[in-house]
Amino acid sequence: MKSLLSIEELTGEEICSLLALGHKLKAERGHHAEQPLAGQTWALIFSKSSTRTRVSFEVGVSELGGRPMFLSTRDTQLGRGEPIKDTARVLGRMVHGAIIRTFDQQDLVDFAAYSGLPTINALTDLEHPCQILADLLTLEEIYGVGAWRGMKIAFLGDVDNNMGRSWMWAAKRLGFTLALAGPQHALPKPETLAALDCPSIICTTDAAEAVRGAMVINTDTWISMGQESEKGTKEQAFFPYQVNAELLRHAAPGHSVFHCLPAYRGYEITDDVLEAHAGAIFAEAENRLHAQKAVLYTLAQA
Ligand code: CP
Ligand code: NVA
């Protein structure tokens, strides 16, 4: 593994290895035998806001012996229009790895190609692979290693967003059942589903059907970063897909609710549900650190 640009480009085996390493690094936090990033500087290049991703990567790089360097596109020449391929060729001569949060997946792909650096997707409009690795780590902590086998996982709301797409590729690679529920216009396009060719992905406009028998029920904001102008027009159509106590009556006994955060209470999730499932939801946030350390560790050894 040279970079982590998407879940799509990982194999099931690679996902399982990253999860196993994530569990190990979490158990060994504070007394790691090796410092694989010693002497290295990793740039965090962010064009969008972040709390969890920025903090977990800055802490993770440091704990593995490296130095994180945060670069907001507002303060670099990227914000004034310097092309990504020029920025990439400059940074490629100075730093040892890059962690990028941006809009267009192609910018990430171009950065990796022009810099030659190990490059990590810290969220694009297309995918959010680090969050999915943290979510799978959390699922395994709650239900056991490999417990996603044969499990039904539901994702409700704006299901064709970066989180939904990463979940779809995880379902394809690992083979669990993924039920996606949202308004018709927000369901994955037929060409997306054809490219995935994954019979264990179910799409429905019926929220109860998606949740029925599901062990993990996921949601995310209805308005992803960059879509703020669609607020209002977009929101109304999503209310039938709100994760609330009534809907969760259809879920499997012992179910968990996941949310990548930040959450918008009263919209995609109710306050009572978020608070009832805060243990799992904040474990997802914590596990960003451990899952990403597994990614950094693996890339440092490539
Ligand atoms: N879940 C997540 O990526 O959070 P941030 O936007 O705070 O980084
Ligand atoms: N889909 C959300 C995820 C935030 C972590 C967004 O892109 O804003």
Side-chain angles (χ1 to χ4, degrees), residues 6-216:
S6 61
I7 294 289
E8 177 179 356
E9 57 177 38
L10 294 179
T11 63
E13 253 176 36
E14 284 173 323
I15 295 172
C16 292
S17 303
L18 289 168
L19 296 177
L21 184 55
H23 290 299
K24 181 172 179 290
L25 292 171
K26 184 169 182 175
E28 292 174 356
R29 188 176 185 203
H31 46 93
H32 295 312
E34 290 168 79
Q35 294 277 278
L37 303 188
Q40 298 191 6
T41 298
W42 281 61
L44 280 78
I45 306 163
F46 279 41
S47 309
K48 293 176 175 173
S49 304
S50 172
T51 299
R52 282 143 286 267
T53 308
R54 176 178 176 178
V55 173
S56 55
F57 268 115
E58 291 207 24
V59 172
V61 168
S62 304
E63 289 189 3
L64 294 178
R67 176 176 179 268
M69 177 189 282
F70 184 77
L71 300 168
S72 157
T73 47
R74 274 193 304 278
D75 307 323
T76 59
Q77 298 291 5
L78 275 169
R80 298 181 64 246
E82 184 168 19
I84 197 87
K85 61 183 182 180
D86 294 353
T87 307
R89 282 177 283 192
V90 173
L91 292 191
R93 290 160 185 252
M94 296 185 190
V95 303
H96 302 88
I99 297 154
I100 300 186
R101 169 166 285 203
T102 191
F103 295 87
D104 191 344
Q105 178 81 8
Q106 191 58 47
D107 284 343
L108 180 77
V109 171
D110 289 348
F111 186 96
Y114 280 96
S115 68
L117 293 171
T119 302
I120 299 175
N121 180 348
L123 181 147
T124 62
D125 290 346
L126 190 73
E127 277 215 33
H128 197 2
C130 294
Q131 183 70 52
I132 296 301
L133 292 172
D135 291 356
L136 289 169
L137 204 61
T138 308
L139 186 157
E140 290 195 338
E141 283 180 341
I142 299 170
Y143 298 108
V145 170
W148 32 265
R149 280 189 196 91
M151 191 178 268
K152 181 179 180 186
I153 297 176
F155 188 95
L156 276 83
D158 192 19
V159 296
D160 197 21
N161 74 1
N162 41 19
M163 283 297 302
R165 281 189 221 103
S166 287
W167 270 113
M168 286 184 238
W169 281 107
K172 165 87 176 175
R173 297 294 177 240
L174 298 178
F176 54 78
T177 298
L178 179 68
L180 304 167
Q184 187 66 47
H185 71 269
L187 294 178
K189 305 278 169 292
E191 52 272 27
T192 308
L193 293 172
L196 277 151
D197 186 25
C198 180
S200 69
I201 297 177
I202 302 158
C203 293
T204 175
T205 53
D206 182 343
E209 182 192 332
V211 170
R212 194 163 297 120
M215 191 55 94
V216 174

